[in-house]
Amino acid sequence: METASNGTPASYDALIVGAGFAGLYQLHLLRDRLGLKTRVLEAADGVGGTWYWNRYPGARCDSESHSYRYFFSRELHDSWDYSERYPGQEEIRAYLNHVADHLDLRRDIQLETRVAAAAFDEKTNLWTVTTKAGERLTCRWLITAVGCLSSANVPDIPGLETFKGEWRHTGRWPHEGVDFAGKRVGQVGTGSTGIQAAPVIAETAKTLTVFQRTANYSVPARNHPLSPERKRELTERFEEIRDLVRSTPNAHPFRISADKAAEQDAETLAQRYEKAWEIGGLRFRAVFGDLLVDKGANDTAATFLKGKIREIVKDPATAAVLSNIDHPYAAKRPPIDTNYFDTFNKPHVAVIDVRADPIKRIVPEGIELESGKVHELDVIVFATGFDAMTGPLLAIDFEGVGGRRLKDDWAAGPRTWMGVAVPGYPNLFTVTGPGSPSVLANMIVPIEQHVEWIADCIETMRAEGVERIEAEPAAAEAWMGHVNDAANATLLPEAGHSWYLGANVPGKPRVFMPYAGGMVRFREICDAVSAAGYAGFARNRPADPEAAPPEVLTAMVGGAETGAGRAEALAQGI
Ligand code: NA7
């Protein structure tokens, strides 16, 4: 590989930051379809992105395995089988390693290279990327494939440095694992991660104490191995499954029912919810079409799910803490689990309500609560989530036009055009950036769509001799307005403490970041923008602060908050 050892930056057509699902496919398209000199820079010592880092006990995807894979190549598809209904972390990482080998990607992936900064030069229309080790590389096109959930959020609890035991964040889990045998373990956090981790930690720990700030719903995943017949069937149904995930608003391989919970009688509701509970997983959410639109409808699901917690958890006081849920079902990311609530029936497992008695500090012996009670621990597991969506981007010091900095430009919240481009930062593309459907959808589908759209855009720019393309500020303003409107048309903002809003990170501006208007609509908008000659983008000239929002956007989303458009926007949420 070329290096910058003589002080002159190595030069590329394109640089990609991150070697997860997005970065691998982006490399394949730019290198193998467009013929660009491309390199991926990846901080880890292996490929996998999110699935490289998240090795915590029980780590598993909540998209079904037959939808959590690339769909761009039948040949690649047929070269791999998943073994379970929901793929585990190791298996997804193995899949991505298989992809890297199958497409011969490794020779253009530079591992153990963390990007520290990137600066755009208006004279040359090139980016200079600086790594943490001080290496400099230049490129025309810079693509971030850094993931939405890769900046670990370790809460700033006083005294952590005094803790005598071992502490870990689930998103930075050691490769050799953590031995819980005979240990008193404290777990902070009851999001999707904590709900997956607790039952597995409880299997070997001496005691497990779960510190719960916000009680959460969870539906059984009903994970199981896939039989050889089922694997064969899924392989044969490739086209059908591909078309299905591309045609549902949340990109999962099932349709959301058009039936409304609000119109059912009590007996029908009970039957439908019971059946959905038996099927399990995120499909529970699909049982009625109005669950994220209508608070009354959502209440019927919430009541059912809280009832299930009280049914499963034998001790009424524990059940009361676990079912004291303050937000609509699926307004926060809805977890799915294997034996989560049942774990609290074990005598060595307890839940502590830290909303009632908050964590005051960490002391050498463990966690001290406001009441003065100290829980003595040997290991603390922080399942406390991520500085989502903006965190991984702002971890890079981006310097755009005229020396502007992304962290200043986004001080009041992110601003993007379709989640993929940022005014003031020409030739920069952000795969599943804030303002894209990303985490509200089965991630692989938006990733493929973004990566293909970006490759098409670069191909067109090159064919037309365009060396600089930049989102117009008015396009980003209009887009973020639409993102906000789409969220407000749902119950999603009602979970005031959700990471969709950045609320889990103290001081982070509260802006609803993912696009809740649906993947289908999003794809249509992106296609309309490119068909209109990349509307909302300035090409070979600086962006125009006076430019009007692109007409194509107004035309596409004009009806989004009313009538049929509203219904589609509202049907989102997982
Ligand atoms: P989440 O969903 O952000 O959950 C984090 C959990 O940690 C949640 O229960 C938080 O409570 C809790 N938390 C965070 N900080 C604290 C402090 N300081 N004290 C007590 N509790 C705290 O992250 P996950 O990793 O579970 O899931 C992220 C996504 O990964 C998931 O949605 C899937 O898309 C995959 P809070 O709710 O903020 O009160």
Side-chain angles (χ1 to χ4, degrees):
M1 280 197 176
E2 292 162 64
T3 67
S5 55
N6 62 0
T8 310
S11 101
Y12 292 86
D13 295 319
L15 288 171
I16 298 163
V17 188
F21 270 96
L24 295 181
Y25 184 32
Q26 192 76 72
L27 169 61
H28 174 56
L29 283 191
L30 296 185
R31 186 191 70 180
D32 301 333
R33 196 184 92 198
L34 271 60
L36 301 190
K37 187 179 170 194
T38 307
R39 181 180 281 196
V40 174
L41 306 175
E42 164 59 57
D45 69 3
V47 304
T50 290
W51 301 105
Y52 174 93
W53 296 107
N54 280 277
R55 298 164 187 250
Y56 61 86
R60 190 172 289 286
C61 186
D62 51 15
S63 292
E64 294 181 34
S65 58
H66 62 283
S67 65
Y68 203 74
R69 54 190 308 162
Y70 295 110
F71 286 96
F72 66 83
S73 157
R74 174 85 206 224
E75 189 223 343
L76 176 62
H77 182 272
D78 290 356
S79 69
W80 181 267
D81 272 336
Y82 278 119
S83 65
E84 294 175 90
R85 178 180 179 186
Y86 296 96
Q89 175 265 334
E90 259 311 320
E91 196 169 35
I92 304 172
R93 201 162 73 87
Y95 169 65
L96 288 171
N97 274 285
H98 164 74
V99 171
D101 291 330
H102 193 86
L103 300 175
D104 189 22
L105 299 176
R106 290 189 200 278
R107 60 191 159 92
D108 293 305
I109 300 172
Q110 184 174 322
L111 299 172
E112 296 184 83
T113 305
R114 185 172 287 283
V115 171
F120 184 72
D121 180 348
E122 280 199 89
K123 288 194 219 64
T124 58
N125 291 326
L126 297 176
W127 281 95
T128 299
V129 169
T130 308
T131 71
K132 199 166 169 224
E135 185 182 1
R136 294 193 312 137
L137 309 93
T138 65
C139 62
R140 171 81 64 219
W141 316 105
L142 178 59
I143 299 108
T144 61
V146 290
C148 296
L149 298 166
S150 53
S151 271
N153 171 41
V154 179
D156 191 14
I157 303 174
L160 180 56
E161 70 290 348
T162 69
F163 183 53
K164 279 190 311 202
E166 176 181 4
W167 69 266
R168 299 285 176 185
H169 186 279
T170 49
R172 292 285 176 273
W173 206 254
H175 290 206
E176 63 280 12
V178 176
D179 181 9
F180 295 114
K183 306 240 174 84
R184 298 163 302 173
V185 182
Q187 177 186 300
V188 182
T190 51
S192 299
T193 299
I195 282 176
Q196 286 185 338
V200 185
I201 294 174
E203 281 170 16
T204 54
K206 181 176 174 202
T207 59
L208 172 64
T209 308
V210 175
F211 295 85
Q212 172 193 281
R213 189 164 68 182
T214 304
N216 219 337
Y217 304 95
S218 187
V219 171
R222 312 237 182 259
N223 187 37
H224 53 76
L226 298 176
S227 66
E229 298 73 43
R230 176 74 173 148
K231 286 183 196 170
R232 201 169 322 114
E233 179 210 326
L234 290 170
T235 304
E236 282 164 9
R237 288 174 51 210
F238 165 76
E239 285 177 1
E240 183 197 327
I241 296 165
R242 180 197 60 197
D243 295 349
L244 179 60
V245 296
R246 289 183 183 171
S247 66
T248 55
N250 55 24
H252 283 285
F254 50 82
R255 301 209 180 274
I256 295 174
S257 168
D259 297 348
K260 294 191 164 124
E263 293 172 357
Q264 315 299 318
D265 58 33
E267 195 182 331
T268 312
L269 281 175
Q271 277 169 2
R272 298 275 294 266
Y273 283 137
E274 201 60 56
K275 190 167 168 223
W277 175 265
E278 284 313 312
I279 293 168
L282 293 179
R283 286 173 193 255
F284 184 88
R285 151 75 184 88
V287 63
F288 293 115
D290 55 352
L291 295 185
L292 275 157
V293 185
D294 176 341
K295 179 68 168 57
N298 194 290
D299 285 347
T300 66
T303 302
F304 175 86
L305 291 169
K306 289 176 187 176
K308 282 288 177 196
I309 299 171
R310 287 190 291 267
E311 222 173 276
I312 298 168
V313 180
K314 305 231 163 24
D315 171 46
T318 304
V321 170
L322 291 167
S323 62
N324 186 18
I325 305 172
D326 64 355
H327 53 277
Y329 167 63
K332 289 177 90 165
R333 175 84 176 193
I336 64 175
D337 71 276
T338 300
N339 300 331
Y340 176 63
F341 293 116
D342 198 33
T343 296
F344 292 92
N345 290 325
K346 297 187 175 188
H348 68 296
V349 179
V351 63
I352 303 295
D353 180 354
V354 294
R355 187 163 291 179
D357 188 2
I359 295 174
K360 183 179 176 194
R361 61 182 171 172
I362 291 175
V363 292
E365 297 74 31
I367 292 181
E368 182 181 338
L369 305 181
E370 287 290 351
S371 62
K373 163 99 183 138
V374 174
H375 290 271
E376 294 190 4
L377 301 167
D378 303 307
V379 183
I380 301 175
V381 174
F382 290 106
T384 44
F386 301 89
D387 181 356
M389 305 201 77
T390 50
L393 290 167
L394 293 175
I396 298 171
D397 181 14
F398 282 103
E399 183 181 334
V401 170
R404 63 199 290 166
R405 292 300 218 278
L406 193 61
K407 58 172 82 61
D408 300 330
D409 284 340
W410 284 8
R415 285 271 171 280
T416 69
W417 179 206
M418 302 187 303
V420 86
V422 187
Y425 301 81
N427 298 356
L428 171 69
F429 297 97
T430 51
V431 182
T432 62
S436 98
S438 61
V439 293
L440 292 181
N442 168 30
M443 277 301 285
I444 307 311
V445 177
I447 283 173
E448 280 197 344
Q449 183 272 345
H450 279 61
V451 163
E452 288 165 5
W453 191 92
I454 290 165
D456 290 348
C457 177
I458 292 174
E459 190 172 33
T460 307
M461 295 308 115
R462 283 168 58 86
E464 296 180 359
V466 174
E467 290 197 345
R468 167 180 168 147
I469 180 168
E470 179 182 353
E472 298 279 15
E477 278 309 310
W479 182 249
M480 297 322 281
H482 177 54
V483 169
N484 199 37
D485 289 344
N488 284 335
T490 72
L491 299 175
L492 292 171
E494 290 208 11
H497 35 60
S498 127
W499 58 260
Y500 296 152
L501 275 162
N504 61 326
V505 177
K508 189 166 173 172
R510 296 221 174 179
V511 175
F512 196 89
M513 293 179 287
Y515 176 55
M519 190 53 214
V520 175
R521 177 202 295 281
F522 180 80
R523 188 189 295 272
E524 285 169 5
I525 293 171
C526 292
D527 290 348
V529 163
S530 49
Y534 293 91
F537 286 94
R539 301 195 285 164
N540 273 346
R541 64 164 172 82
D544 177 2
E546 307 299 325
E551 280 175 21
V552 60
L553 178 63
T554 323
M556 292 292 295
V557 307
E561 282 72 58
T562 56
R566 178 176 167 84
E568 194 185 338
L570 296 185
Q572 309 312 306
I574 50 176

